[in-house]
Amino acid sequence: MSRIGKQHITLPKNVTIEQNDRVLNISGPRGALSIILTNEVEVRNENGVYIVGLSSNELNKKSVSLWGLTKRLIENAAKGVSEGFSKKMFIEGVGYRAEIQGKDLVLSLGFSHPVRISAPEGIQFNVDKNTLTVSGNDKYLVGQVAANIRVYRKPEPYKGKGIRYEGERVRRKAGKKAAA
């Protein structure tokens, strides 16, 4: 049994869910998101409280996993259309900087050319000195765009240069030592 899937879903204010066959449309003040349900799970509305359950009584590992996953996807979509999600990243290194040109993010990371990243639909970039914020309604998309940016210069262990997430600890190594 899924401990996460058994919990009820309470929606924030101003968030509505419409179900059309196997598609849930979740809308709120920041926009709308859609979730496609698998055949293993079903969503019921009981007096304004949404409950995710299994379509059949057959318990197997896949259906129980999808049960909890679907519940979390609905909660994340509801939070996204009401509050939104953001990832904060820090850029460290001499000459490393970020700027916004139109909707594109331009990074100077020590390469012979600037790195230009176009914002997918629903994603906004914000740059303040050496801090980059990726924000949007879809939690998965925000995390994926932030990970794609980080790939260009992961933090290195000797000087700590690179792009790192807020709260991420970079484990530092000692450099070369002079022979005695």
Side-chain angles (χ1 to χ4, degrees):
M1 299 294 286
S2 173
R3 287 179 277 173
I4 294 172
K6 284 194 269 185
Q7 299 170 357
H8 303 298
I9 299 171
T10 54
L11 298 176
K13 292 181 181 179
N14 302 327
V15 175
T16 59
I17 294 180
E18 294 178 15
Q19 186 171 1
N20 299 330
D21 197 26
R22 306 297 303 162
V23 177
L24 286 179
N25 295 317
I26 302 168
S27 59
R30 289 180 51 103
L33 293 173
S34 296
I35 297 174
I36 299 172
L37 300 175
T38 60
N39 293 330
E40 285 87 358
V41 295
E42 62 182 19
V43 178
R44 297 184 310 273
N45 182 3
E46 295 181 2
N47 300 328
V49 176
Y50 287 88
I51 299 171
V52 178
L54 294 175
S55 296
S56 65
N57 291 335
E58 185 178 327
L59 290 177
N60 56 30
K61 189 171 183 172
K62 180 182 177 187
S63 63
V64 172
S65 299
L66 290 172
W67 184 12
L69 172 71
T70 304
K71 190 241 185 219
R72 287 292 190 208
L73 288 175
I74 295 169
E75 280 184 341
N76 288 339
K79 183 179 177 187
V81 296
S82 64
E83 301 170 20
F85 292 99
S86 66
K87 283 266 192 188
K88 192 179 271 190
M89 306 170 82
F90 298 109
I91 301 171
E92 292 183 15
V94 176
Y96 290 8
R97 62 183 175 275
E99 57 186 26
I100 296 176
Q101 292 179 355
K103 284 192 166 187
D104 293 348
L105 176 69
V106 179
L107 299 170
S108 298
L109 298 173
F111 297 125
S112 63
H113 60 282
V115 177
R116 182 176 295 272
I117 301 169
S118 299
E121 188 175 333
I123 296 293
Q124 298 87 29
F125 296 124
N126 187 15
V127 176
D128 182 39
K129 293 186 182 179
N130 66 339
T131 304
L132 168 65
T133 306
V134 180
S135 58
N137 294 345
D138 190 354
K139 184 176 184 177
Y140 169 77
L141 190 58
V142 168
Q144 187 62 52
V145 169
N148 291 344
I149 292 170
R150 185 177 180 270
V151 163
Y152 286 105
R153 278 284 190 217
K154 291 183 181 177
E156 57 96 13
Y158 295 102
K159 292 185 179 179
K161 296 175 12 177
I163 302 172
R164 64 178 174 87
Y165 296 119
E166 180 182 38
E168 178 183 10
R169 290 192 57 209
V170 178
R171 197 163 168 193
R172 303 294 291 268
K173 292 183 178 179
K176 291 182 183 177
K177 300 208 177 195

